[in-house]
């Protein structure tokens, strides 16, 4: 009784501060830039008596003027309550259960407000949360989010932003700040260290000193993250539009050992950093122009320098060109898949891009026609252009292949015919000629091969 009286007295002296409710003229979000499907999900949930807000990265990006890649919704409805309200919706996830509401090609990821981590939640020996399906209030959901700039809730009906942790202020200053104790939050989910780097690079901002300080000493925890999650996070890093900045910050914070162990080796090769930088600059340009990105091409470019070094080593050891390249590619990919779960369809495409590179050295006869039949020709030609820009391949020949890939059937036939009739330079000669056995005359004496 006395305790309750004291609590109420203290509450009157120091009233609990609610969240900031920031109006449209302060946060600047234009509702026309918000996904109509995300608004629809919020409207349907509201109509059935639930709370619902657009949350997280979409709100962050809208405030700073970046077009969001996707939209998420947070609500106090449980997954079992959400699913029946929509024609196409499915519950997914084990560690973090949520609902995917499908509208054609767009998926609105809809999650239930979560409670902060508790002592009885299931974790591994390092403190990483294995299951996170404890539901809570909006305030608790905000407290369990990683950074202040991600703990923002946009109400598409009132057009207000609800801010529990001064996230809008941090966002305006371009500061990435952890909610709660960084040491504890990184142990709960080590991927947060990679996310801090990505957000700082994407916003051209800085990581708050208290948030940055533990990263170097806790970087080894990345090794406990499932490889599939690491691959997803690495793909986000490489396609955020500031990929080179991300990789440099990964190295500076000591995080690359758990993500791309060969990164230091790649960047220390002669011309290695130049090649990677060219690849990522072109990727960043495509992202900023709103063009699609190929994960296969990205990882093929990142790992090419190491593949090429081993290719030369195996060739010097006596292997023929193609078998040496296959052996080099297999060894590099085997090392990487221990850390990154590069999906089989991506690694298969990467191999095709790599294996076509020696074949570009010849453009006569049936060789060029066979190359035109390859499904990954355009990606391989783009890769060849990258090698030419880095000084690894003849730029004139690389442009010929680009023109061939872009041409129509008549243009292609003319180009191949002209190349076949032109004097053959050294680059047109095959790497190794097959030696024919001399034919024998009926009496057993060797017959000179006419070469026809």
């Amino acid at each position: 009784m006395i305790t309750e009286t004291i609590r109420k007295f203290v509450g009157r002296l120091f009233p609990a501060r609610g969240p900031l409710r920031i109006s449209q003229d302060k946060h600047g979000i234009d509702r026309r830039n918000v996904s109509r499907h995300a608004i629809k999900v919020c409207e349907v949930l509201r109509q059935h008596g639930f709370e619902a807000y657009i949350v997280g990265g979409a709100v962050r990006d809208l405030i700073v003027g970046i077009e969001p890649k996707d939209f998420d919704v947070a609500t106090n409805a449980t997954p079992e309550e959400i699913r029946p309200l929509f024609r196409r919706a499915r519950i997914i996830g084990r560690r973090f259960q949520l609902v995917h509401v499908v509208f054609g090609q767009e998926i609105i990821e809809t999650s239930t407000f979560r409670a902060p981590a508790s002592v009885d939640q299931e974790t591994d020996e390092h403190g990483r949360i294995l299951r996170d399906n404890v539901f809570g209030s909006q305030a608790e959901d905000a407290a369990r989010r990683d950074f202040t700039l991600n703990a923002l809730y946009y109400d598409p009906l009132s057009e207000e932003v609800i801010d529990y942790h001064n996230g809008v202020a941090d966002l305006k200053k371009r500061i990435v700040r952890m909610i709660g104790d960084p040491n504890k939050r990184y142990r709960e989910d080590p991927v947060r260290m990679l996310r801090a780097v990505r957000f700082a690079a994407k916003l051209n901002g800085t990581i708050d000193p208290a948030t940055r300080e533990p990263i170097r000493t806790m970087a080894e925890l990345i090794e406990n993250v499932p490889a599939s999650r690491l691959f997803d996070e690495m793909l986000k890093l490489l396609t955020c539009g500031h990929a080179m900045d991300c990789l440099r910050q990964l190295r500076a914070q000591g995080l690359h050992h758990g993500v791309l162990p060969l990164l230091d080796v790649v960047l220390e090769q002669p011309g290695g950093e130049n090649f990677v930088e060219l690849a990522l600059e072109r990727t960043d340009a495509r992202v900023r122009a709103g063009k699609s990105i190929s994960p296969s091409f990205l990882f093929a470019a990142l790992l090419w320098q190491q593949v090429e070094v081993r290719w030369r080593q195996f060739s010097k050891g006596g292997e023929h060109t193609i078998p040496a390249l296959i052996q080099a590619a297999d060894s590099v990919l085997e090392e990487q898949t221990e850390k990154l779960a590069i999906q089989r369809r991506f690694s298969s495409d990467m191999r095709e891009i790599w294996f076509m590179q020696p074949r570009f050295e010849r453009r006569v006869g049936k060789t060029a026609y066979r190359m035109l039949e390859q499904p990954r020709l355009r990606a391989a030609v783009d890769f060849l252009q990258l090698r030419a820009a880095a000084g690894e391949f003849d730029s004139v020949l690389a442009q010929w292949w680009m023109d061939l890939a872009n041409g129509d059937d008549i243009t292609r036939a003319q180009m191949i015919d002209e190349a076949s009739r032109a004097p053959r330079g050294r680059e047109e000669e095959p790497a190794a000629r097959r030696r024919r056995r001399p034919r024998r005359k009926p009496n057993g004496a060797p017959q000179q091969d006419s070469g026809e």
Side-chain angles (χ1 to χ4, degrees), residues 175-193:
I175 295 175
V176 179
R177 191 190 312 275
M178 181 68 74
I179 297 172
D181 177 19
N183 287 276
K184 181 174 182 292
R185 305 307 304 279
Y186 289 143
R187 288 193 179 279
E188 290 172 357
D189 187 0
V191 166
R192 287 170 177 155
M193 291 184 277

Side-chain angles (χ1 to χ4, degrees), residues 140-183:
E140 289 175 321
D141 188 75
R144 62 160 287 282
R145 291 185 179 271
D146 48 12
F147 305 105
T148 61
L149 47 74
N150 285 335
L152 301 172
Y153 301 78
Y154 175 71
D155 183 343
L157 304 183
S158 68
E159 298 191 56
E160 289 183 322
V161 168
I162 301 172
D163 182 0
Y164 284 87
H165 298 282
N166 294 314
V168 172
D170 282 344
L171 193 51
K172 299 287 188 181
K173 297 175 184 175
R174 311 281 173 143
I175 295 175
V176 179
R177 191 190 312 275
M178 181 68 74
I179 297 172
D181 177 19
N183 287 276

Side-chain angles (χ1 to χ4, degrees), residues 7 23 31 44 67 91 110 118 120 154 161 168 176 184 197 215 229 234 245 248-249 304 316 326 335 344 385 418 427:
R7 188 184 64 80
S23 59
R31 192 174 185 270
V44 170
E67 182 180 355
I91 298 175
T110 308
S118 59
D120 57 348
Y154 175 71
V161 168
V168 172
V176 179
K184 181 174 182 292
V197 169
I215 292 178
R229 278 202 75 205
M234 193 63 194
D245 289 340
R248 288 194 178 107
Q249 288 203 40
W304 170 249
K316 288 180 180 177
I326 293 172
E335 288 182 22
R344 183 173 296 179
Q385 292 283 317
E418 289 173 3
E427 73 277 3

Side-chain angles (χ1 to χ4, degrees), residues 238-289:
L238 295 173
T239 58
C240 72
H242 302 272
M244 199 64 199
D245 289 340
C246 283
L247 289 187
R248 288 194 178 107
Q249 288 203 40
L250 284 178
R251 294 181 76 195
Q253 302 299 333
L255 288 168
H256 57 288
H257 295 298
V259 184
L260 276 175
L262 292 180
L263 183 60
D264 270 338
V265 179
V266 169
L267 298 182
E268 287 169 5
Q269 297 294 334
E273 185 163 6
N274 179 47
F275 187 87
V276 171
E277 193 165 348
L278 280 170
L280 295 183
E281 281 176 355
R282 295 186 179 196
T283 299
D284 289 345
R286 289 186 65 86
V287 170
R288 292 167 187 166

Side-chain angles (χ1 to χ4, degrees), residues 185-420:
R185 305 307 304 279
Y186 289 143
R187 288 193 179 279
E188 290 172 357
D189 187 0
V191 166
R192 287 170 177 155
M193 291 184 277
L194 301 180
R195 286 165 62 82
V197 169
R198 173 160 60 90
F199 294 144
K202 183 176 180 178
L203 297 171
N204 193 25
T206 59
I207 302 175
D208 171 65
T211 302
R212 185 184 65 247
E213 192 275 331
I215 292 178
R216 181 167 287 278
T217 58
M218 303 181 76
E220 62 183 18
L221 294 177
I222 293 290
E223 297 179 6
N224 305 316
V225 176
S228 58
R229 278 202 75 205
L230 273 185
F231 178 79
D232 290 342
E233 190 58 37
M234 193 63 194
L235 202 52
K236 290 177 182 177
L237 282 166
L238 295 173
T239 58
C240 72
H242 302 272
M244 199 64 199
D245 289 340
C246 283
L247 289 187
R248 288 194 178 107
Q249 288 203 40
L250 284 178
R251 294 181 76 195
Q253 302 299 333
L255 288 168
H256 57 288
H257 295 298
V259 184
L260 276 175
L262 292 180
L263 183 60
D264 270 338
V265 179
V266 169
L267 298 182
E268 287 169 5
Q269 297 294 334
E273 185 163 6
N274 179 47
F275 187 87
V276 171
E277 193 165 348
L278 280 170
L280 295 183
E281 281 176 355
R282 295 186 179 196
T283 299
D284 289 345
R286 289 186 65 86
V287 170
R288 292 167 187 166
K291 297 180 180 179
S292 61
I293 298 299
S294 166
S296 308
F297 187 92
L298 268 175
F299 284 98
L302 274 180
L303 300 179
W304 170 249
Q305 293 293 306
Q306 195 63 21
V307 169
E308 190 184 35
V309 168
R310 297 188 188 183
W311 181 21
R312 289 198 299 265
Q313 291 173 348
F314 292 135
S315 295
K316 288 180 180 177
E319 285 282 3
H320 291 293
T321 300
I322 299 301
L325 181 54
I326 293 172
Q327 195 173 342
D330 288 345
S331 65
V332 170
L333 285 172
E334 185 178 351
E335 288 182 22
Q336 283 303 307
T337 50
E338 292 179 5
K339 297 295 181 183
L340 287 172
I342 300 177
Q343 297 175 23
R344 183 173 296 179
R345 62 193 176 99
F346 294 145
S347 60
S348 176
D349 289 349
M350 290 164 65
R351 282 185 168 92
E352 287 190 46
I353 290 171
W354 289 336
F355 295 164
M356 275 192 271
Q357 298 307 304
R359 299 174 65 182
F360 285 126
E361 295 175 5
R362 295 191 67 209
R363 56 178 177 173
V364 296
K366 296 180 180 179
T367 302
Y369 283 109
R370 290 195 187 104
M371 289 292 280
L372 289 172
E373 297 171 358
Q374 300 301 315
R376 299 289 175 269
L377 174 66
R378 185 51 195 256
V381 169
D382 287 342
F383 196 84
L384 186 69
Q385 292 283 317
L386 187 61
R387 292 178 61 209
E392 289 186 10
F393 195 86
D394 180 76
S395 59
V396 174
L397 186 54
Q399 188 58 48
W400 186 90
W401 282 104
M402 177 61 77
D403 294 339
L404 187 73
N406 291 333
D408 56 27
D409 290 342
I410 296 175
T411 302
R412 288 172 171 178
Q414 290 174 344
M415 289 179 64
I416 294 172
D417 182 60
E418 289 173 3
S420 299

